[in-house]
Amino acid sequence: EVQLVESGGGLAQPGGSLRLSCAASGFTFKNYAMTWVRQAPGKGLERVSVISGSGGITFYADSVKGRFTISRDNFNNTLYIEMNNLRAEDTAVYFCAKGVRQLVNWNWFDSWGQGTLVAVSS
Amino acid sequence: IQMTQSPSTLSASVGDRVNITCRASQNIDSWLAWYRQKPGKAPNLLIYKASNLESGVPSRFSGSGSGAEFTLTISSLQPEDFATYYCQQYVSYYTFGQGTKVEMK
């Protein structure tokens, strides 16, 4: 059974940093692209970033480009996102999700974690 | 690529047939998925490649369309289907629609 468990969320000050983790199990992690999707309170789903199975290709939403860095550890089956220079508008539940292909394109997402809340406030 | 869902909110009763539309700003062939998100939960994949039912998803869900216009149909609404539904294109990176909330009439 595929399991994705996010951690690392919490309260951060504007301009601060957080690193989220997503521990994966139940599938061959390195064979699938992974993504972070966020959902601000009462709002819809917003793509944040996606990384290929090898980790060599990444994409970022314009809203986080230059501030967030996605990475993965294929030995320890863990996905990360380093979030710097946080803004109030980054407040959201952050979900990790598993793609159905190794490459970043042509992916839908067949398994999701339960999400971790990031709140940015002074 | 922009994805636009309609309606934004839909009021229905248990047993109703429900249709949700998703329009793409350009041709995406059949590269479209649908998700259901229950309140406080993660999204759950329902349909991929416009009309393929994900394993384990009830057969009351179906998807149709190609090019730039797509429809998710729930043939007989069940209590657990009061939720928000999202379409997602994946021909160019990926983009979600803004969501359609199905609420109890």
Side-chain angles (χ1 to χ4, degrees):
Chain A
E1 179 194 1
V2 172
Q3 284 202 335
L4 299 171
V5 180
E6 301 96 335
S7 60
L11 179 64
Q13 292 196 334
S17 299
L18 279 176
R19 186 175 84 155
L20 307 184
S21 302
C22 171
S25 61
F27 64 102
T28 304
F29 185 67
K30 66 180 181 178
N31 287 351
Y32 298 95
M34 297 291 294
T35 194
W36 289 98
V37 175
R38 69 185 181 184
Q39 187 168 38
K43 302 297 184 182
L45 302 175
E46 180 189 11
R47 67 184 186 187
V48 174
S49 184
V50 63
I51 187 168
S52 63
S54 68
I57 299 174
T58 58
F59 280 104
Y60 297 91
D62 288 344
S63 57
V64 306
K65 202 173 294 183
R67 301 187 298 122
F68 289 14
T69 303
I70 193 171
S71 63
R72 62 191 296 160
D73 179 345
N74 284 346
F75 184 76
N76 290 304
N77 296 340
T78 304
L79 173 73
Y80 301 99
I81 191 158
E82 183 78 33
M83 306 185 295
N84 296 317
N85 193 17
L86 283 163
R87 305 167 179 167
E89 54 264 36
D90 295 319
T91 294
V93 173
Y94 286 72
F95 298 100
C96 64
K98 169 187 167 291
V100 297
R101 306 181 196 286
Q102 192 168 112
L103 300 179
V104 296
N105 286 324
W106 314 108
N107 265 302
W108 60 94
F109 304 107
D110 62 355
S111 295
W112 295 66
Q114 83 288 350
T116 188
L117 176 63
V118 171
V120 183
S121 174
S122 54
Chain B
I1 299 176
Q2 305 300 317
M3 306 301 293
T4 303
Q5 292 182 228
S6 60
S8 295
T9 305
L10 186 160
S11 297
S13 301
V14 172
D16 283 354
R17 182 181 183 88
V18 166
N19 290 312
I20 298 169
T21 298
C22 178
R23 290 186 174 87
S25 59
Q26 64 188 70
N27 183 2
I28 60 169
D29 293 325
S30 296
W31 305 115
L32 186 99
W34 288 98
Y35 302 84
R36 176 180 66 181
Q37 186 180 30
K38 297 177 184 179
K41 301 294 187 181
N44 185 57
L45 177 67
L46 300 173
I47 301 282
Y48 61 93
K49 210 172 179 186
S51 61
N52 291 269
L53 194 67
E54 172 70 351
S55 176
V57 173
S59 59
R60 65 180 180 272
F61 292 96
S62 63
S64 62
S66 66
E69 186 158 333
F70 303 86
T71 301
L72 173 70
T73 299
I74 308 172
S75 60
S76 178
L77 198 68
Q78 298 302 298
E80 60 268 32
D81 299 332
F82 292 102
T84 301
Y85 294 81
Y86 295 91
C87 62
Q88 177 223 333
Q89 68 81 16
Y90 50 90
V91 68
S92 173
Y93 189 20
Y94 70 88
T95 318
F96 293 105
Q98 83 279 14
T100 295
K101 183 178 181 180
V102 176
E103 62 179 23
M104 205 172 296
K105 186 184 290 183

